[in-house]
Structure formats: structure tokens, C-alpha cells
Amino acid sequence: MTNAAKDTFVAGLRNAHAMETQARELMERQSERLDQYPEVKAKITAHLQETNEQLRRLEQCLEACGESTSSLKDTTQSVMANAQAMMHAMASDEILKNTFANNAFENFEIAAYKSLVALCGPAGVEQARAPLETSLKEEQRMAQWIDANVEKVTMEYLERQRQAA
């Protein structure tokens, strides 16, 4: 591995691990409050399992490079996720805010994985390509599902508001 490519790859892996730690916290908090939206809850719960696997894959990639995760980054992202979840929980349109935030976050994750996959060659870690591509595909599927369901979730929210009035 070239030093610059290796350093960038390892930093990217650590950042991605912190990112997935944040995603896990967000989904755990959100899933606790989604009983009125069973389809969204099921999808979030399923993606939470994927996220746990993504964390494991990232840890394996770091270990293969002789590196470890960043506890500081992981903790910081976890705290941020819980703060965001608390802020959204106070809003009457929590489901909408979460849907928009999840849409943005999934696309952020996609970009991070695309960057890591691009670095595999220059960093000399071709063995990391397949697990990172697996995570990328999982994020792309989740982003597509969210995007395809924004209107549906919005209309379900609107109907619940109408019934409560």
C-alpha cells in the first residue's frame, strides 16, 4: 500500500464505522417509535440487521490493515445520533423528519462506500472490495426504498393527522 492511499483508506474505514454506529443508534431510536408505521418499522429493523453486518465487515477490513476502529469517532457519532433522534421525537411530524433525514443519511453512506471501493486498488486492498461492495448495495437498496416511499409515508402521516382532528 502506498502511504497516502493506505492512510486515506484506513481513515475512510474508521469514518465509515463511526457513520454506521450513528446509523445503528438512529435506527434503534426510530424503531422504538414506529408502531403506527409497521411497514417503515419492518424496513428499519431489517436494515438495522444489515448495519450490524456492515459494522462487522468494516471491523474485518480494519483488522486486515492492522488497524482498529476509532472509539472517539464512534462515541461522538453515537451521541449525535441520539441527540438527533430526541429532537425529532419532540416534533409532531417526527415520521416525516426521520424519513427526510434517513433519505439524506443513506445517500451519505452510499458516497462513503463508493469512495472506499475506489480506494481499494490504490491502497492495495482488493480483498476489501467485495465486502465493501456488499455494504454499498445494501445502502443503495435502502435509499431506493426510502425514496420510493416518501410520498406514501407523507400521505399516511396526513391521514393520521386528519383522523386525530
Side-chain angles (χ1 to χ4, degrees):
M1 291 186 205
T2 66
N3 285 341
K6 178 184 179 185
D7 292 348
T8 303
F9 184 72
V10 169
L13 289 173
R14 285 184 178 134
N15 291 339
H17 192 274
M19 168 188 75
E20 293 296 358
T21 299
Q22 180 180 6
R24 180 179 60 197
E25 292 293 324
L26 278 170
M27 287 184 284
E28 286 174 351
R29 297 300 75 76
Q30 288 177 11
S31 66
E32 295 166 356
R33 302 178 51 77
L34 284 170
D35 290 337
Q36 291 185 332
Y37 299 88
E39 185 179 355
V40 176
K41 183 173 185 162
K43 191 65 176 177
I44 294 285
T45 301
H47 193 55
L48 180 56
Q49 296 307 311
E50 289 177 335
T51 299
N52 287 326
E53 283 301 307
Q54 292 165 1
L55 283 162
R56 184 187 58 75
R57 286 184 210 118
L58 290 165
E59 290 161 5
Q60 289 175 335
C61 289
L62 280 163
E63 288 171 13
C65 294
E67 301 288 342
S68 62
T69 62
S70 169
S71 297
L72 177 61
K73 286 181 181 183
D74 287 354
T75 301
T76 300
Q77 294 301 96
S78 179
V79 169
M80 288 175 49
N82 281 298
Q84 180 182 352
M86 283 178 26
M87 289 175 53
H88 286 189
M90 291 187 280
S92 63
D93 61 348
E94 175 185 10
I95 186 68
L96 298 180
K97 286 183 173 45
N98 285 342
T99 300
F100 306 156
N102 291 347
N103 190 35
F105 200 83
E106 291 302 324
N107 284 285
F108 182 86
E109 289 174 306
I110 289 167
Y113 281 113
K114 284 182 177 181
S115 178
L116 286 169
V117 168
L119 286 166
C120 286
V125 288
E126 283 300 325
Q127 70 276 15
R129 183 178 301 276
L132 293 171
E133 285 178 341
T134 297
S135 295
L136 172 60
K137 288 174 187 165
E138 291 167 349
E139 298 301 352
Q140 288 170 328
R141 281 192 303 269
M142 186 63 176
Q144 289 169 350
W145 185 88
I146 293 169
D147 185 59
N149 282 277
V150 170
E151 292 89 351
K152 182 179 178 182
V153 169
T154 300
M155 298 314 291
E156 285 179 24
Y157 168 76
L158 186 61
E159 179 60 21
R160 290 189 197 306
Q161 291 300 105
R162 187 191 65 74
Q163 289 175 357

